[in-house]
């Protein structure tokens, strides 16, 4: 059959109950922004749906944890859904494990354009335009094991555009075998498009980053469908953005030069951020005196404050949340040769590095202040991962032993 062109919006992972993470202290001039960020980002989803006059909205779950968000979350969603209802835009929402139908407060009834689907049950709907079928929608959340009942999904016998709205893990071959036109997945926080055979598998990700582990832009997807082919287009919805730039600083000889490099990088980040405030966790890597100076206790404190004063108190802001310093390459040769406990530890680590077939047993060589569980849990690593782990162990041992020397 001939497919008509239309557009819909896909979004999810609002997590209205989850505050920002990764900030040891919140700058006063950004408090309101950070507190309201999850709601402001979610509001952009509904504003986009209205502005683009989409046929319908797909919500892939994890909008809010009803046990943690308080009354603000349900009231906010009802207000947004009502705006869509006034524009006659239906909403199809597949629920996650934190969104049980039984937990929704009776005092906040949802408008009739909202259709919710519980996990573990396959349901179907047909979306029509002016009385003619436009889309066949199949909806199902993951069962308790995280799997999908893919065998119950099938292409439409008449050729009607068929779309699956699901949560769970996907298997490429299983999805390809069902011959649907489009799979809208919930769960991942990153925007992902994966063409599989003649179908498109897409996760629109989270609408707002929650910490430095989620750098870059976050948003929703405006999906254009023409002649049976779906093309998701990223729509940014975040209102504050985390960035995690990594800079090599081997060519720099002073803090002044480093400050200039960081300022230039911050300005470039601002140019591409579309006027958003940025929260930045810097990683500086290299070897030599400057890196060793910054790795000392308190070595980055003055630099952090300088960057905050110069870049973080303006609007839009580039607020330095933290500076991580990583030494790359080998430690000084004389440290391995010295007759000391530090030398003993480093020689043992080098022995493991040279003899890659030996199992690791690092925990016993590190002091109580180290994260020994991180090391001990990875004894079977090999190749590059093993090298990185041993390098981390050597640097941690040097830092701990250096702290002990300074306390004497």
């Amino acid at each position: 059959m001939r497919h008509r062109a239309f557009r819909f919006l896909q979004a999810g992972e609002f997590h209205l109950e989850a505050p920002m993470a990764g900030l040891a202290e919140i700058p006063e001039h950004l408090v309101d922004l950070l507190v309201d960020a999850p709601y402001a980002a979610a509001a952009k989803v509904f504003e986009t749906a209205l502005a683009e006059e989409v046929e319908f909205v797909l919500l892939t779950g994890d909008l809010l944890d009803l046990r943690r968000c308080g009354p603000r979350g349900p009231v906010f969603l009802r207000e947004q859904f009502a705006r869509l209802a006034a524009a006659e835009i239906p909403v199809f929402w597949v629920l996650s494990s934190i969104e049980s139908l039984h937990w929704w407060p009776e005092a906040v009834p949802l408008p009739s354009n909202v259709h919710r689907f519980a996990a573990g049950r396959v349901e179907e709907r047909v979306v029509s335009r002016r009385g003619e079928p436009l889309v066949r929608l199949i909806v199902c959340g993951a069962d308790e094991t995280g799997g999908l009942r893919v065998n119950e999904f099938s292409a439409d016998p008449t050729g009607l555009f068929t779309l699956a709205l699901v949560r769970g893990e996907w298997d490429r071959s299983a999805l390809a075998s069902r011959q649907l036109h489009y799979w809208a997945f919930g769960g991942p926080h990153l925007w992902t498009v994966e063409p599989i055979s003649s179908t498109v598998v897409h996760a629109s990700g989270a609408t707002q980053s929650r910490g430095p582990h989620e750098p870059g832009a976050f948003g929703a997807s405006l999906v254009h469908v023409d002649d049976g082919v779906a093309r998701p287009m990223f729509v940014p919805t975040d209102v504050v953005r985390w960035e995690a730039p990594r800079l090599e600083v081997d060519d720099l000889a002073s803090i002044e030069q480093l400050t200039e490099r960081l300022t230039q990088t911050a300005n470039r980040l601002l140019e591409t951020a579309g006027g958003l405030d940025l929260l930045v966790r810097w990683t500086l890597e290299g070897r030599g005196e400057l890196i060793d100076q910054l790795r000392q206790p308190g070595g980055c404190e003055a630099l952090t404050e300088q960057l905050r004063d110069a870049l973080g108190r303006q609007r839009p802001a580039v607020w330095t949340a933290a500076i991580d310093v990583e030494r790359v390459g080998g430690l000084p040769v004389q440290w391995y040769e010295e007759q000391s406990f530090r030398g003993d530890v480093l020689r043992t680590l080098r022995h493991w590095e040279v003899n890659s077939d030996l199992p690791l047993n690092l925990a016993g060589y590190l002091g109580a202040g180290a994260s020994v569980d991180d090391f001990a849990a990875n004894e079977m690593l090999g190749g590059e991962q093993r090298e990185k782990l041993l390098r981390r162990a050597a640097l941690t041992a040097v830092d701990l032993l250096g702290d002990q020397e300074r306390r004497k």
Side-chain angles (χ1 to χ4, degrees):
M1 68 179 295
R2 183 177 181 275
H3 297 279
R4 287 176 292 170
F6 63 94
R7 291 178 297 178
F8 64 90
L9 195 75
Q10 177 180 336
E13 324 304 319
F14 294 177
H15 284 292
L16 297 178
E17 79 289 344
M20 284 287 181
L23 288 169
E25 53 184 300
I26 300 179
E28 184 175 351
H29 63 296
L30 298 179
V31 168
D32 291 342
L33 171 70
L34 298 177
V35 169
D36 290 332
Y39 287 87
K44 283 189 174 184
V45 171
F46 300 100
E47 291 165 5
T48 301
L50 292 167
E52 297 292 340
E53 299 180 338
V54 298
E55 295 287 343
F56 53 87
V57 172
L58 300 183
L59 297 178
T60 58
D62 270 1
L63 305 191
L64 74 173
D65 188 335
L66 290 164
R67 297 161 297 182
R68 296 175 52 199
C69 69
R72 182 185 181 186
V75 170
F76 167 82
L77 288 180
R78 181 181 64 178
E79 292 172 349
Q80 301 303 319
F81 292 149
R83 296 173 65 196
L84 298 184
E88 299 184 344
I89 299 175
V91 176
F92 302 98
W93 174 9
V94 59
L95 303 180
S96 71
S97 59
I98 63 173
E99 297 166 327
S100 170
L101 289 169
H102 306 294
W103 296 339
W104 189 269
E106 294 182 3
V108 189
L110 294 175
S112 60
N113 66 319
V114 179
H115 309 277
R116 293 179 294 169
F117 302 87
R121 185 171 68 246
V122 178
E123 300 184 54
E124 293 192 21
R125 295 285 191 279
V126 173
V127 182
S128 299
R129 177 198 285 171
R130 301 183 185 92
E132 294 187 15
L134 184 67
V135 175
R136 175 169 167 253
L137 177 65
I138 308 176
V139 190
C140 184
D143 59 26
E144 293 181 357
T145 65
L148 287 171
R149 293 154 60 181
V150 174
N151 290 337
E152 297 186 33
F153 292 68
S154 61
D156 189 82
T158 68
L160 184 64
F161 186 91
T162 303
L163 182 159
L165 172 60
V166 293
R167 289 186 66 86
E169 301 293 332
W170 69 66
D171 176 85
R172 290 178 59 92
S173 59
L175 299 190
S177 69
R178 309 320 297 168
Q179 298 182 334
L180 272 59
H181 294 91
Y182 185 90
W183 295 79
F185 263 89
H189 277 206
L190 297 181
W191 200 88
T192 306
V193 177
E194 186 173 358
I196 299 177
S197 185
S198 60
T199 190
V200 173
V201 177
H202 177 49
S204 56
T207 52
Q208 172 63 60
S209 166
R210 289 307 193 277
H213 60 292
E214 296 177 336
F218 283 74
S221 295
L222 181 64
V223 184
H224 299 258
V225 180
D226 193 7
D227 197 23
V229 178
R231 297 180 177 85
M233 182 181 74
F234 178 75
V235 178
T237 60
D238 49 358
V239 296
V240 59
R241 188 167 298 170
W242 275 95
E243 296 289 358
R246 177 178 290 268
L247 280 68
E248 294 184 3
V249 298
D250 280 345
D251 59 326
L252 304 180
S254 66
I255 294 294
E256 290 72 23
Q257 291 178 343
L258 174 59
T259 302
E260 182 179 356
R261 175 76 57 82
L262 293 172
T263 301
Q264 292 171 350
T265 304
N267 288 331
R268 285 197 296 270
L269 291 173
L270 274 180
E271 290 174 2
T272 60
L276 296 185
D277 295 289
L278 302 180
L279 307 173
V280 182
R281 188 178 187 109
W282 304 92
T283 298
L284 309 179
E285 62 176 21
R287 69 190 75 196
E289 294 183 3
L290 181 58
I291 282 291
D292 289 338
Q293 176 184 346
L294 294 170
R295 291 188 69 250
Q296 298 300 316
C300 291
E301 290 181 1
L303 177 59
T304 299
E305 290 304 316
Q306 184 177 353
L307 292 173
R308 288 176 175 178
D309 289 338
L311 302 167
R313 306 190 193 281
Q314 61 187 21
R315 300 298 295 272
V318 181
W319 182 261
T320 295
I323 301 177
D324 297 324
V325 183
E326 296 183 4
R327 197 184 200 283
V328 299
L331 295 169
V333 174
Q334 60 268 27
W335 289 4
Y336 287 86
E337 297 176 346
E338 65 185 20
Q339 298 303 310
S340 65
F341 184 53
R342 178 172 70 179
D344 291 340
V345 173
L346 293 180
R347 284 189 290 274
T348 299
L349 293 171
R350 185 168 59 184
H351 179 68
W352 274 320
E353 187 173 355
V354 172
N355 298 281
S356 58
D357 57 332
L358 291 178
L360 300 179
N361 180 21
L362 306 180
Y365 290 87
L366 300 174
S371 300
V372 297
D373 291 341
D374 293 342
F375 296 112
N378 293 283
E379 294 184 1
M380 302 307 294
L381 292 178
E384 184 178 350
Q385 288 182 311
R386 179 185 173 102
E387 293 178 9
K388 288 182 178 180
L389 184 66
L390 289 168
R391 186 160 56 246
R392 280 182 57 204
L395 289 171
T396 301
V398 168
D399 289 343
L400 289 169
L401 294 170
D403 286 343
Q404 292 175 1
E405 289 294 322
R406 283 185 289 271
R407 288 194 294 269
K408 288 182 180 179

